Amino acid sequence: LQASMDATGTVLFYMWGDSDPVDNNGENAYPDLYGKAYNLNTQMWTAKKTFTSSSTFWWFYASNVALLNGTTYTVPCTNSVDRAGTGITLGTFDHYYYGDATFGQNEFVVGVQEQETGFGSVSLFPNPANDVVNLNVNMNQAGPVTVTLFNELGQSVLADKRNLSAGANRVQLNTSTLQAGVYFLSVADANGTTTSKVVIQ
């Protein structure tokens, strides 16, 4: 695991190599590069990203500073490939620059309130909210989901049923007509329910 940050020190990047089954020589067989980022100001994460699938991304090094170009962060990395192709670390390695470890500013959408459930995971933002609450629902499998917003008295003030696909889904709720206060947002399917506190301003 290696860490980087942007020039302001407010966006952090975590890079790591996977651990595939070892080969006969006891080496990491086919490592690839993964990463995730966190914005300290917004308290939002990106999803985990897979950058390589080449089976030749050996020992990597990530720069301690990520570069921002427009709205895209790049974490400069190098990887090592042995010349003989055996993967034995006692051999001679060549080092290559890898510049595709990128994160868009629009990818910081996973809130720190992400919760694991029987059907997947749920996170919401912004919180506190005004006119709109966004839900990121990561489904283990496709299926119907019921989203319900309750007030502090336990009364349902908003309900929505969606058929969501497997993987990442975005659900947007219009909260512009709600009074300011504390609410509880429930997301449920046949496999489980999760509830998060939401503040409407």
Side-chain angles (χ1 to χ4, degrees):
L1 177 68
Q2 298 186 33
S4 306
M5 67 175 67
D6 72 339
T8 67
T10 59
V11 184
L12 306 179
F13 303 86
Y14 306 89
M15 312 295 290
W16 68 93
D18 66 0
S19 297
D20 289 334
V22 296
D23 63 17
N24 292 334
N25 297 307
E27 304 290 347
N28 194 358
Y30 299 118
D32 285 307
L33 183 65
Y34 293 81
K36 195 170 183 177
Y38 178 67
N39 188 312
L40 293 170
N41 289 333
T42 63
Q43 297 186 340
M44 302 296 284
W45 290 90
T46 67
K48 182 182 82 172
K49 299 188 70 173
T50 304
F51 296 108
T52 67
S53 58
S54 64
S55 78
T56 58
F57 205 88
W58 287 81
W59 309 106
F60 79 94
Y61 299 91
S63 170
N64 62 338
V65 177
L67 307 175
L68 178 61
N69 183 11
T71 59
T72 301
Y73 296 99
T74 299
V75 180
C77 296
T78 62
N79 73 303
S80 304
V81 179
D82 65 306
R83 294 178 185 174
T86 62
I88 299 175
T89 56
L90 296 178
T92 302
F93 277 67
D94 293 322
H95 304 279
Y96 298 91
Y97 174 73
Y98 181 79
D100 290 332
T102 60
F103 299 84
Q105 288 181 332
N106 62 345
E107 295 182 65
F108 291 80
V109 295
V110 181
V112 296
Q113 294 184 2
E114 182 173 16
Q115 298 187 36
E116 297 292 330
T117 71
F119 55 82
S121 63
V122 177
S123 63
L124 62 90
F125 70 96
N127 191 12
N130 291 306
D131 297 333
V132 169
V133 172
N134 296 293
L135 283 138
N136 290 319
V137 184
N138 194 4
M139 299 284 288
N140 294 331
Q141 60 185 20
V145 168
T146 301
V147 179
T148 310
L149 192 65
F150 298 94
N151 62 20
E152 289 185 290
L153 300 176
Q155 300 167 326
S156 173
V157 295
L158 188 155
D160 191 6
K161 291 185 178 181
R162 301 282 183 98
N163 288 313
L164 302 183
S165 59
N169 298 268
R170 173 70 61 82
V171 177
Q172 189 173 82
L173 303 177
N174 183 350
T175 56
S176 61
T177 60
L178 298 178
Q179 294 183 350
V182 176
Y183 295 83
F184 298 91
L185 184 64
S186 169
V187 181
D189 83 341
N191 296 312
T193 302
T194 181
T195 303
S196 302
K197 184 171 74 172
V198 184
V199 176
I200 305 298
Q201 296 179 330

